């Protein structure tokens, strides 16, 4: 997900597509306990349904998301699982995520809420619900409340903290946004993404020197990180145009 664009672009299809970039990696890791301090989704109770049966039913939909990035096919696969196992919170969670990724936000909210009704302690579902709410400027305060709940219960849930920083930014609460980003940037290679987003926010605020520092720090952590390289190149091009405003004008007639 490009957090900068989530703060500055109009809501709509383009914004939903940007969220895919963050959600799809989560599809690969959710369900196997990848987040420190949190149980994987597959560890949650499926009521009177055998967990292995539910997981097998969900496999086709997860493959559609992980391997083909085909949210439409995933919706159909997960919908079939929900019809077969209506008491499984997993089915409703994955259907909600697929609906969200395909731009069907209202049905997604219904499925996520059903997952939470069946499993109120599912922080992944709370985070997903907050992500959907964050697309609606009238629900930003609710998204904030949900994400603060998630981070409060599991401080190591970094994607939720990242989402919270973005929500703070959308609300114009820059101090709290930077505070969350600061907690995410501890020098590890995977935090190049967060450094890049901080740089884009600095750039949007006109603080180009600070932006360049963040982009370079991101590349020091992860030299092949394309978003940071692209952002730094764009910033350099912007600086060149500012210094030579007529460089692209035709010479004579």
């Amino acid at each position: 997900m490009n957090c900068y664009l989530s703060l500055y672009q109009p809501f709509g299809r383009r914004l939903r597509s940007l969220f895919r970039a963050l959600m799809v990696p989560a599809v690969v890791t959710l369900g196997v306990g990848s987040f420190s301090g949190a149980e994987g989704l597959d560890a949650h109770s499926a009521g009177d349904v055998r967990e292995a049966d539910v997981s097998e039913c969900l496999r086709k939909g997860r493959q559609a998301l992980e391997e083909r990035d085909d949210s439409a096919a995933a919706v159909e696969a997960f919908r079939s699982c929900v019809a077969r196992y209506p008491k499984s919170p997993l089915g409703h969670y994955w259907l909600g995520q697929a609906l969200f990724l395909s731009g069907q936000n209202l049905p997604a909210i219904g499925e996520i809420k059903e997952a939470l009704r069946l499993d109120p302690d599912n922080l992944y579902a709370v985070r997903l619900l907050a992500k959907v709410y964050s697309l609606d400027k009238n629900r930003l305060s609710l998204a904030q409340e949900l994400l603060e709940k998630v981070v409060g219960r599991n401080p190591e849930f970094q994607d939720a903290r990242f989402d919270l920083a973005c929500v703070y930014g959308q609300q114009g609460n820059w101090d709290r946004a930077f505070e969350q980003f600061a907690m995410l940037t501890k020098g590890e290679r995977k935090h190049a993404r967060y450094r890049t987003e901080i740089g884009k926010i600095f750039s949007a605020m006109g603080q180009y020197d600070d932006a360049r520092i963040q982009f370079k720090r991101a590349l020091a952590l992860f030299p092949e990180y394309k978003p940071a390289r692209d952002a730094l190149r764009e910033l350099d091009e912007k600086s060149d145009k500012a210094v030579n405003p007529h460089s692209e004008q035709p010479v004579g007639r």
Side-chain angles (χ1 to χ4, degrees):
M1 185 190 80
N2 188 314
C3 179
Y4 162 74
L5 286 172
S6 79
L7 304 181
Y8 293 98
Q9 292 292 339
F11 295 101
R13 183 176 180 182
R14 184 179 183 187
L15 183 54
R16 288 195 297 270
S17 70
L18 292 169
F19 274 99
R20 295 170 69 91
L22 184 57
M23 291 307 304
V24 171
V27 170
V28 180
T29 56
L30 287 176
V32 293
S34 62
F35 293 102
S36 175
E39 295 181 347
L41 280 175
D42 289 345
H44 288 284
S45 171
D48 57 358
V49 178
R50 284 205 326 129
E51 186 177 298
D53 293 338
V54 176
S55 295
E56 178 60 25
C57 185
L58 295 172
R59 182 174 57 83
K60 183 177 179 181
R62 293 176 68 170
Q63 286 178 337
L65 288 180
E66 295 169 21
E67 299 173 10
R68 304 192 302 277
D69 193 22
D70 188 345
S71 57
V75 166
E76 294 307 311
F78 293 139
R79 203 186 299 279
S80 176
C81 290
V82 166
R84 187 174 179 182
Y85 302 110
K87 294 183 179 181
S88 168
L90 289 175
H92 292 284
Y93 170 85
W94 285 107
L95 177 55
Q97 178 162 251
L99 287 166
F100 168 62
L101 293 176
S102 64
Q104 302 178 61
N105 291 346
L106 288 179
I109 289 172
E111 293 299 330
I112 301 166
K113 285 185 174 181
E114 179 62 12
L116 287 169
R117 186 186 71 81
L118 295 166
D119 184 6
D121 295 325
N122 189 326
L123 296 185
Y124 299 99
V126 176
R127 180 237 175 177
L128 180 58
L129 183 60
K131 183 174 286 296
V132 181
Y133 283 162
S134 71
L135 292 175
D136 182 349
K137 60 183 179 181
N138 295 317
R139 289 180 166 178
L140 284 176
S141 60
L142 183 53
Q144 174 188 329
E145 179 183 339
L146 292 173
L147 289 167
E148 287 175 342
K149 171 185 175 181
V150 173
V151 171
R153 292 182 58 184
N154 181 9
E156 301 302 317
F157 198 157
Q158 294 180 337
D159 282 341
R161 191 176 295 281
F162 180 82
D163 293 344
L164 180 58
C166 291
V167 167
Y168 284 147
Q170 286 174 268
Q171 295 171 316
N173 195 336
W174 300 113
D175 289 342
R176 298 188 74 177
F178 282 125
E179 179 183 355
Q180 294 302 314
F181 277 124
M183 297 178 71
L184 289 166
T185 52
K186 302 297 183 182
E188 297 182 31
R189 170 179 167 136
K190 65 182 178 181
H191 295 317
R193 176 181 61 171
Y194 305 130
R195 291 285 184 188
T196 301
E197 301 306 335
I198 293 173
K200 289 179 179 179
I201 293 175
F202 274 132
S203 181
M205 298 171 66
Q207 300 180 28
Y208 301 125
D209 290 340
D210 290 328
R212 184 172 282 102
I213 289 172
Q214 294 301 325
F215 296 146
K216 289 183 176 180
R217 286 180 178 176
L219 291 171
L221 295 169
F222 188 178
E224 297 81 23
Y225 191 52
K226 187 175 183 299
R229 286 191 285 109
D230 291 346
L232 183 59
R233 185 188 67 251
E234 291 173 6
L235 186 60
D236 289 338
E237 291 173 353
K238 184 183 298 184
S239 298
D240 290 341
K241 290 180 180 179
V243 174
N244 303 297
H246 304 296
S247 60
E248 296 183 2
Q249 297 296 321
V251 180
R253 288 182 178 270

